[in-house]
Amino acid sequence: MQAVILGLTARLHTLEGEAGTQPLCRKHALRVLDMTGLLDDGVEQDPGTMSMWDCTAAVARTCIAQQHGRNAEQGQVPVPVEVRVDLRVNRASYAFLREALRSSLSSPLRLCCRDLRAEDLPMRNTVALLQLLDAGCLRRVDLRFNNLGLRGLSVIIPHVARFQHLASLRLHYVHGDSRQPSVDGEDNFRYFLAQMGRFTCLRELSMGSSLLSGRLDQLLSTLQSPLESLELAFCALVPEDLQFLARSSHAAHLKKLDLSGNDLSGSQLTPFQGLLQAAGATLLHLELTECQLADAQLLAILPTLTRCVNLRYLGLYGNPLSIAGLKELLRDSVVQAELRTVVHPFPVDCYEGLPWPPPASVLLEASINEEKFARVEAELHQLLLASGRAHVLWTTDIYGRLAADYFSL
């Protein structure tokens, strides 16, 4: 891939030279270079592709070098080329990428960012990058590990809201706490809500690790269109939040739902069943990692869960399920013809000396009996074969490239 980028760079320089000496050939010159979709997700590096970091750096180097070359060759009339890219930035690469975006403003190589992912980037740097991006190109903003809090979100969100074609807003680990009792905290939350109401094309929202207890109705009611992907992992949701979501216009449009890290074992279980029923016709991807679902809760939701007839992916890792519970799920899910992947936990039967109920941290860190688990895996595999579902993957691998991106659903 690096060679491809270098080759394209050389070709762009050649086209520039041709444009300066042969103006009649401009109609044959390259106008758009689409480099989107070439990036891996950084979890499992595909040796045939560049990492997101490498691709971002290569694009930035190309733009800066091209601008320097243009300054040295004034007098030529270059052919403008729109370079469509996905960009990923952190503290180390921020200055480099900012220079590339600035160079692009007056360069024949015009960077058009489709997806921006910023990790661990200070608030002022995030704002500076957003101000340099073309408002007509961006479809996704993904901010993670930024620890912005509500105050930081209230500063950044108006700069994001100017992207009227934005379809996906992902705010992972920004640690917004809507429960803050202070006047400033409430003002920041209300301002954030007002800005969220400006989006007209938003279809995916991720608020992972933002504490939204009892405030989900206020957040979702501000949106102009129903969401198709909603990620609320570790948001400390309460029954009222799930009840609102089940009754809202969003439920009937959801293709992807992530409720990981929310306790669904107690009073949340019944409203969660109502939500499954409301979303059952459209739901393709359901993530329930670490939701404290034991066998009793799983058996209670199975009739509703198996009516999600289009479901392709089910994530249950980190829940205290037994071998018997997993077998029941495997048998009942035979009616879900579209199901392709189930990420399940290590059965509680395969641990030794496990406290009950086991905290999620224990399930994630405690040692298992490898021999016993190997027998369980073999038995599950045989059950899949016997039911004609050898194509369905049952796995404990939560780090593989299994979770579908919203835009690929």
Side-chain angles (χ1 to χ4, degrees), residues 287-303:
E287 188 66 73
L288 301 173
T289 296
E290 294 182 46
C291 287
Q292 300 186 39
L293 295 171
D295 287 2
Q297 289 78 36
L298 178 64
L299 293 176
I301 67 171
L302 263 181

Side-chain angles (χ1 to χ4, degrees), residues 134-268:
D134 188 331
C137 296
L138 204 64
R139 70 169 187 177
R140 168 176 283 166
V141 170
D142 185 342
L143 307 179
R144 54 183 68 197
F145 306 111
N146 299 69
N147 200 26
L148 295 168
L150 277 179
R151 179 180 175 277
L153 279 178
S154 67
V155 172
I156 284 177
I157 195 64
H159 298 280
V160 179
R162 76 180 182 90
F163 300 104
Q164 288 302 302
H165 299 294
L166 196 76
S168 170
L169 178 60
R170 301 176 62 81
L171 303 170
H172 285 270
Y173 303 104
V174 297
H175 297 117
D177 189 349
S178 66
R179 307 172 303 175
Q180 293 179 3
S182 68
V183 174
D184 285 346
E186 185 64 24
D187 287 346
N188 287 330
F189 185 62
R190 290 186 181 279
Y191 182 73
F192 173 71
L193 294 179
Q195 295 298 312
M196 290 296 294
R198 293 173 57 189
F199 295 108
T200 58
C201 299
L202 197 67
R203 294 295 180 269
E204 177 179 47
L205 178 62
S206 176
M207 296 290 295
S209 295
S210 289
L211 302 179
L212 297 169
S213 304
R215 310 294 294 269
L216 189 63
D217 59 335
Q218 293 175 263
L219 173 62
L220 298 183
S221 295
T222 65
L223 302 179
Q224 296 191 32
S225 304
L227 295 171
E228 295 181 349
S229 176
L230 180 60
E231 298 182 13
L232 299 170
F234 299 93
C235 285
L237 300 181
V238 296
E240 291 76 17
D241 295 317
L242 298 177
Q243 288 166 359
F244 169 80
L245 182 54
R247 296 192 304 266
S248 73
S249 61
H250 302 283
H253 292 82
L254 286 176
K255 296 179 181 179
K256 183 176 182 180
L257 177 64
D258 186 349
L259 296 177
S260 296
N262 293 285
D263 184 357
L264 301 179
S265 65
S267 57
Q268 288 94 330

Side-chain angles (χ1 to χ4, degrees), residues 49-369:
T49 68
M50 300 179 71
S51 71
M52 295 182 76
W53 300 112
D54 291 340
C55 192
T56 297
V59 170
R61 279 194 297 270
T62 298
C63 289
I64 294 171
Q66 193 280 337
Q67 178 65 11
H68 290 165
R70 179 171 176 254
N71 291 338
E73 298 176 9
Q74 294 297 330
Q76 292 185 350
V77 183
V79 178
V81 179
E82 180 181 290
V83 183
R84 299 175 184 172
V85 292
D86 298 329
L87 299 176
R88 183 172 174 182
V89 58
N90 60 11
R91 289 174 184 260
S93 60
Y94 164 72
F96 191 53
L97 183 56
R98 182 188 59 185
E99 183 183 354
L101 288 169
R102 283 178 174 172
S103 298
S104 170
L105 296 176
S106 58
S107 167
L109 287 184
R110 297 171 184 169
L111 280 184
C112 182
C113 178
R114 182 185 69 165
D115 296 350
L116 175 70
R117 176 168 166 177
E119 294 189 9
D120 190 28
L121 203 63
M123 180 174 61
R124 66 182 182 279
N125 294 354
T126 303
V127 170
L129 282 184
L130 290 170
Q131 290 174 332
L132 290 169
L133 297 178
D134 188 331
C137 296
L138 204 64
R139 70 169 187 177
R140 168 176 283 166
V141 170
D142 185 342
L143 307 179
R144 54 183 68 197
F145 306 111
N146 299 69
N147 200 26
L148 295 168
L150 277 179
R151 179 180 175 277
L153 279 178
S154 67
V155 172
I156 284 177
I157 195 64
H159 298 280
V160 179
R162 76 180 182 90
F163 300 104
Q164 288 302 302
H165 299 294
L166 196 76
S168 170
L169 178 60
R170 301 176 62 81
L171 303 170
H172 285 270
Y173 303 104
V174 297
H175 297 117
D177 189 349
S178 66
R179 307 172 303 175
Q180 293 179 3
S182 68
V183 174
D184 285 346
E186 185 64 24
D187 287 346
N188 287 330
F189 185 62
R190 290 186 181 279
Y191 182 73
F192 173 71
L193 294 179
Q195 295 298 312
M196 290 296 294
R198 293 173 57 189
F199 295 108
T200 58
C201 299
L202 197 67
R203 294 295 180 269
E204 177 179 47
L205 178 62
S206 176
M207 296 290 295
S209 295
S210 289
L211 302 179
L212 297 169
S213 304
R215 310 294 294 269
L216 189 63
D217 59 335
Q218 293 175 263
L219 173 62
L220 298 183
S221 295
T222 65
L223 302 179
Q224 296 191 32
S225 304
L227 295 171
E228 295 181 349
S229 176
L230 180 60
E231 298 182 13
L232 299 170
F234 299 93
C235 285
L237 300 181
V238 296
E240 291 76 17
D241 295 317
L242 298 177
Q243 288 166 359
F244 169 80
L245 182 54
R247 296 192 304 266
S248 73
S249 61
H250 302 283
H253 292 82
L254 286 176
K255 296 179 181 179
K256 183 176 182 180
L257 177 64
D258 186 349
L259 296 177
S260 296
N262 293 285
D263 184 357
L264 301 179
S265 65
S267 57
Q268 288 94 330
L269 190 65
T270 298
F272 171 61
Q273 287 177 281
L275 175 56
L276 277 184
Q277 187 171 0
T282 57
L283 202 59
L284 305 177
H285 184 109
L286 179 61
E287 188 66 73
L288 301 173
T289 296
E290 294 182 46
C291 287
Q292 300 186 39
L293 295 171
D295 287 2
Q297 289 78 36
L298 178 64
L299 293 176
I301 67 171
L302 263 181
T304 310
L305 179 62
T306 52
R307 283 197 287 271
C308 298
V309 293
N310 296 305
L311 197 67
R312 301 173 190 166
Y313 174 99
L314 175 62
L316 289 169
Y317 194 84
N319 288 288
L321 298 173
S322 71
I323 297 171
L326 291 177
K327 288 181 179 178
E328 190 69 27
L329 172 62
L330 190 150
R331 283 190 289 265
D332 286 10
S333 64
V334 70
V335 298
Q336 294 172 294
E338 300 300 318
L339 191 62
R340 292 295 179 270
T341 302
V342 176
V343 180
H344 64 87
F346 294 100
V348 291
D349 319 58
C350 295
Y351 293 88
E352 295 178 1
L354 197 64
W356 196 265
S361 58
V362 173
L363 290 176
L364 296 177
E365 297 172 8
S367 298
I368 65 164
N369 185 318

